[in-house]
Amino acid sequence: MKRILLLHTGGTISMSTDQRTGAVKPSGEHPLHKYSHLFEENLQIIEEDILQLPSPHVTPSDMLTIQKRLERAEQDGQIDGAVITHGTDTLEETAYFLDLTVNTSFPVVLTGAMRPVDELGSDGISNLQNAIWTALSNEATDKGVLVVMNEEIHSARYVTKTHTTNVATFRTPTFGPIGIVSKHEVRFFQKLVFYEHYPVNQISSNVCLLKSYAGMDSTLFEALLDKDIDGLVIEALGAGNLPPATLPGLKKLLERNIPVVITSRAFNGIAQDIYAYTGGGKHLKELGVIFAPGLSGIKARIKLLILLEQKLDSEQLNMIFRQ
Ligand code: ASP
């Protein structure tokens, strides 16, 4: 008999609709408790409500709680796969945090729902079923942490929520999903070319994320100088460029040896140092920023939080982000 560890953390998948007001809110008993045993014969599901949070309330320390539970499962050696249900708003951040910090011999799959279980066409139960099937698949091992939503399998590193309400919200820009769940069949079509794992026992740093815009100046950078920040990620313009008026503030942060990581605010493609004009990627690189090709701003922030715990120098940070 196979064994799946099913960790519930909250989110719409755990909520129901107030029939009077239409508001979606946490319900008493997790609505999936009564479904999860129905999916497979010869399957034991060990179900735990490890957190009960709407995902905008989830913090890196909650992510660490999930990571520690998965590590304990690995040490116990009794589990064939783990499925984590999670609110979709920050699901991609928790998924990537686990991808970078957990190295289990069994698949780890995150899923959620865009519609509560009592809404017409709710996706929660089918997403859970597909996530369990994926976690049971032999092919799902050694593929990093996976996100299964709307019959697609995505790698945690690149998946992102793209729509506020549509059930087809999770997408992987640039590469697409790495597999699909078609009825009962789990099929993979791609695999990432490398995986990375870092040991982490705490998250003690404060890393902020800024989005750039036309006409941006140094106001926000100057404001950060008064705060106790350990790192900054900027979603820069296009391939990785900033307006010239941001440079005075940016330079002051760099002079304080605060690592500044550049991603793109564009939805698709990778950030690179291409342009040599003032504030262009080449200029920013000369000033000492770190480029994170391929990562979104929120993923780069999770990575920087974890790397800051490794006590690396700026050359090592540069090298790791370049991968
Ligand atoms: N706001 C909800 C959450 O992230 C959305 C969802 O779960 O789909 O908790």
Short mmCIF file of all heavy atoms in Angstrom, two decimals, residues 153-180:
data_model
loop_
_atom_site.label_atom_id
_atom_site.label_comp_id
_atom_site.label_asym_id
_atom_site.label_seq_id
_atom_site.Cartn_x
_atom_site.Cartn_y
_atom_site.Cartn_z
N ILE A 153 1.02 20.21 -14.96
CA ILE A 153 2.09 20.06 -13.96
C ILE A 153 3.17 21.09 -14.29
O ILE A 153 3.69 21.12 -15.41
CB ILE A 153 2.70 18.65 -14.02
CG1 ILE A 153 1.61 17.57 -13.93
CG2 ILE A 153 3.73 18.46 -12.90
CD1 ILE A 153 2.09 16.17 -14.24
N HIS A 154 3.47 21.94 -13.31
CA HIS A 154 4.47 23.00 -13.51
C HIS A 154 5.61 22.82 -12.53
O HIS A 154 5.42 22.30 -11.42
CB HIS A 154 3.83 24.37 -13.27
CG HIS A 154 2.75 24.69 -14.25
ND1 HIS A 154 2.96 25.45 -15.38
CD2 HIS A 154 1.44 24.34 -14.27
CE1 HIS A 154 1.83 25.56 -16.06
NE2 HIS A 154 0.89 24.90 -15.40
N SER A 155 6.79 23.29 -12.93
CA SER A 155 7.89 23.28 -11.97
C SER A 155 7.76 24.53 -11.09
O SER A 155 7.41 25.61 -11.56
CB SER A 155 9.23 23.23 -12.70
OG SER A 155 9.63 24.51 -13.04
N ALA A 156 8.07 24.34 -9.80
CA ALA A 156 7.89 25.43 -8.83
C ALA A 156 8.74 26.65 -9.19
O ALA A 156 8.36 27.78 -8.90
CB ALA A 156 8.29 24.94 -7.44
N ARG A 157 9.87 26.42 -9.86
CA ARG A 157 10.79 27.53 -10.11
C ARG A 157 10.19 28.59 -11.03
O ARG A 157 10.44 29.77 -10.89
CB ARG A 157 12.10 27.00 -10.72
CG ARG A 157 13.23 28.02 -10.65
CD ARG A 157 14.48 27.53 -11.36
NE ARG A 157 14.89 26.21 -10.93
CZ ARG A 157 15.71 25.43 -11.64
NH1 ARG A 157 16.19 25.85 -12.79
NH2 ARG A 157 16.03 24.23 -11.20
N TYR A 158 9.39 28.16 -11.99
CA TYR A 158 8.95 29.13 -13.00
C TYR A 158 7.45 29.41 -13.03
O TYR A 158 7.01 30.30 -13.74
CB TYR A 158 9.40 28.64 -14.39
CG TYR A 158 10.91 28.56 -14.53
CD1 TYR A 158 11.55 27.36 -14.81
CD2 TYR A 158 11.68 29.70 -14.35
CE1 TYR A 158 12.93 27.29 -14.93
CE2 TYR A 158 13.06 29.64 -14.46
CZ TYR A 158 13.67 28.44 -14.75
OH TYR A 158 15.03 28.39 -14.86
N VAL A 159 6.67 28.63 -12.29
CA VAL A 159 5.21 28.81 -12.40
C VAL A 159 4.77 30.12 -11.73
O VAL A 159 5.37 30.57 -10.77
CB VAL A 159 4.48 27.59 -11.78
CG1 VAL A 159 4.60 27.58 -10.26
CG2 VAL A 159 3.03 27.55 -12.22
N THR A 160 3.71 30.71 -12.29
CA THR A 160 3.19 31.94 -11.68
C THR A 160 1.67 32.03 -11.85
O THR A 160 1.12 31.50 -12.82
CB THR A 160 3.91 33.18 -12.28
OG1 THR A 160 3.56 34.32 -11.49
CG2 THR A 160 3.56 33.45 -13.72
N LYS A 161 1.04 32.70 -10.91
CA LYS A 161 -0.41 32.92 -10.99
C LYS A 161 -0.64 34.09 -11.94
O LYS A 161 -0.09 35.18 -11.73
CB LYS A 161 -0.96 33.22 -9.60
CG LYS A 161 -2.46 33.40 -9.56
CD LYS A 161 -2.98 33.57 -8.12
CE LYS A 161 -4.49 33.77 -8.14
NZ LYS A 161 -5.08 33.84 -6.80
N THR A 162 -1.45 33.89 -12.97
CA THR A 162 -1.58 34.91 -14.01
C THR A 162 -2.97 35.53 -14.09
O THR A 162 -3.19 36.45 -14.88
CB THR A 162 -1.27 34.32 -15.40
OG1 THR A 162 -2.27 33.34 -15.71
CG2 THR A 162 0.11 33.70 -15.46
N HIS A 163 -3.93 35.00 -13.37
CA HIS A 163 -5.30 35.51 -13.46
C HIS A 163 -5.88 35.56 -12.06
O HIS A 163 -5.64 34.66 -11.26
CB HIS A 163 -6.13 34.59 -14.38
CG HIS A 163 -7.41 35.19 -14.83
ND1 HIS A 163 -8.49 35.37 -13.98
CD2 HIS A 163 -7.81 35.66 -16.04
CE1 HIS A 163 -9.49 35.93 -14.65
NE2 HIS A 163 -9.10 36.12 -15.91
N THR A 164 -6.69 36.59 -11.79
CA THR A 164 -7.21 36.72 -10.42
C THR A 164 -8.25 35.66 -10.07
O THR A 164 -8.34 35.24 -8.92
CB THR A 164 -7.86 38.12 -10.24
OG1 THR A 164 -8.78 38.32 -11.32
CG2 THR A 164 -6.80 39.21 -10.23
N THR A 165 -9.04 35.21 -11.06
CA THR A 165 -10.15 34.31 -10.72
C THR A 165 -10.27 33.06 -11.60
O THR A 165 -10.89 32.08 -11.20
CB THR A 165 -11.49 35.06 -10.81
OG1 THR A 165 -11.57 35.67 -12.12
CG2 THR A 165 -11.63 36.12 -9.73
N ASN A 166 -9.72 33.09 -12.81
CA ASN A 166 -9.90 31.99 -13.76
C ASN A 166 -9.22 30.71 -13.25
O ASN A 166 -8.13 30.78 -12.69
CB ASN A 166 -9.27 32.42 -15.10
CG ASN A 166 -9.71 31.56 -16.24
OD1 ASN A 166 -9.54 30.35 -16.22
ND2 ASN A 166 -10.27 32.18 -17.26
N VAL A 167 -9.84 29.56 -13.48
CA VAL A 167 -9.22 28.31 -13.00
C VAL A 167 -7.94 27.97 -13.77
O VAL A 167 -7.09 27.22 -13.28
CB VAL A 167 -10.20 27.10 -13.05
CG1 VAL A 167 -11.33 27.28 -12.05
CG2 VAL A 167 -10.71 26.85 -14.45
N ALA A 168 -7.79 28.54 -14.99
CA ALA A 168 -6.56 28.31 -15.77
C ALA A 168 -5.56 29.41 -15.45
O ALA A 168 -5.00 30.05 -16.35
CB ALA A 168 -6.88 28.27 -17.25
N THR A 169 -5.31 29.66 -14.20
CA THR A 169 -4.48 30.81 -13.81
C THR A 169 -2.99 30.49 -13.74
O THR A 169 -2.16 31.34 -14.02
CB THR A 169 -4.97 31.39 -12.45
OG1 THR A 169 -4.15 32.48 -12.09
CG2 THR A 169 -4.94 30.36 -11.34
N PHE A 170 -2.62 29.26 -13.37
CA PHE A 170 -1.19 28.97 -13.19
C PHE A 170 -0.54 28.65 -14.53
O PHE A 170 -0.97 27.74 -15.24
CB PHE A 170 -0.99 27.84 -12.17
CG PHE A 170 -1.07 28.38 -10.77
CD1 PHE A 170 -2.29 28.52 -10.14
CD2 PHE A 170 0.06 28.83 -10.11
CE1 PHE A 170 -2.38 29.07 -8.87
CE2 PHE A 170 -0.01 29.40 -8.85
CZ PHE A 170 -1.24 29.51 -8.23
N ARG A 171 0.49 29.41 -14.85
CA ARG A 171 1.18 29.28 -16.14
C ARG A 171 2.67 29.32 -15.90
O ARG A 171 3.13 29.92 -14.93
CB ARG A 171 0.85 30.45 -17.06
CG ARG A 171 -0.61 30.69 -17.28
CD ARG A 171 -1.10 29.89 -18.44
NE ARG A 171 -2.56 29.99 -18.50
CZ ARG A 171 -3.27 29.57 -19.52
NH1 ARG A 171 -2.69 29.02 -20.55
NH2 ARG A 171 -4.57 29.69 -19.49
N THR A 172 3.40 28.75 -16.86
CA THR A 172 4.85 28.89 -16.86
C THR A 172 5.23 29.65 -18.12
O THR A 172 5.31 29.07 -19.20
CB THR A 172 5.55 27.52 -16.82
OG1 THR A 172 5.13 26.85 -15.63
CG2 THR A 172 7.05 27.68 -16.80
N PRO A 173 5.42 30.99 -18.00
CA PRO A 173 5.80 31.76 -19.19
C PRO A 173 7.14 31.25 -19.71
O PRO A 173 7.92 30.70 -18.95
CB PRO A 173 5.95 33.19 -18.65
CG PRO A 173 5.44 33.17 -17.26
CD PRO A 173 5.41 31.78 -16.78
N THR A 174 7.41 31.41 -20.94
CA THR A 174 8.66 31.02 -21.61
C THR A 174 8.77 29.53 -21.87
O THR A 174 9.09 29.12 -22.98
CB THR A 174 9.92 31.51 -20.85
OG1 THR A 174 9.75 32.88 -20.50
CG2 THR A 174 11.17 31.39 -21.69
N PHE A 175 8.51 28.66 -20.86
CA PHE A 175 8.75 27.23 -21.08
C PHE A 175 7.48 26.38 -21.16
O PHE A 175 7.48 25.30 -21.71
CB PHE A 175 9.60 26.64 -19.94
CG PHE A 175 10.82 27.44 -19.64
CD1 PHE A 175 10.91 28.20 -18.49
CD2 PHE A 175 11.89 27.45 -20.51
CE1 PHE A 175 12.03 28.94 -18.20
CE2 PHE A 175 13.02 28.19 -20.25
CZ PHE A 175 13.09 28.94 -19.09
N GLY A 176 6.40 26.82 -20.54
CA GLY A 176 5.17 26.01 -20.49
C GLY A 176 5.24 24.98 -19.38
O GLY A 176 6.26 24.83 -18.71
N PRO A 177 4.13 24.23 -19.20
CA PRO A 177 4.10 23.21 -18.15
C PRO A 177 5.08 22.09 -18.47
O PRO A 177 5.43 21.88 -19.64
CB PRO A 177 2.65 22.70 -18.18
CG PRO A 177 2.13 23.09 -19.51
CD PRO A 177 2.88 24.30 -19.96
N ILE A 178 5.52 21.34 -17.46
CA ILE A 178 6.43 20.22 -17.75
C ILE A 178 5.66 18.91 -17.93
O ILE A 178 6.24 17.90 -18.31
CB ILE A 178 7.55 20.06 -16.69
CG1 ILE A 178 6.98 19.73 -15.31
CG2 ILE A 178 8.39 21.32 -16.63
CD1 ILE A 178 8.08 19.27 -14.34
N GLY A 179 4.36 18.92 -17.66
CA GLY A 179 3.57 17.71 -17.85
C GLY A 179 2.09 18.01 -17.73
O GLY A 179 1.69 19.14 -17.47
N ILE A 180 1.31 16.97 -17.95
CA ILE A 180 -0.15 17.12 -17.82
C ILE A 180 -0.72 15.92 -17.05
O ILE A 180 -0.08 14.87 -16.98
CB ILE A 180 -0.86 17.22 -19.19
CG1 ILE A 180 -0.54 16.00 -20.07
CG2 ILE A 180 -0.51 18.51 -19.92
CD1 ILE A 180 -1.43 15.89 -21.30
#
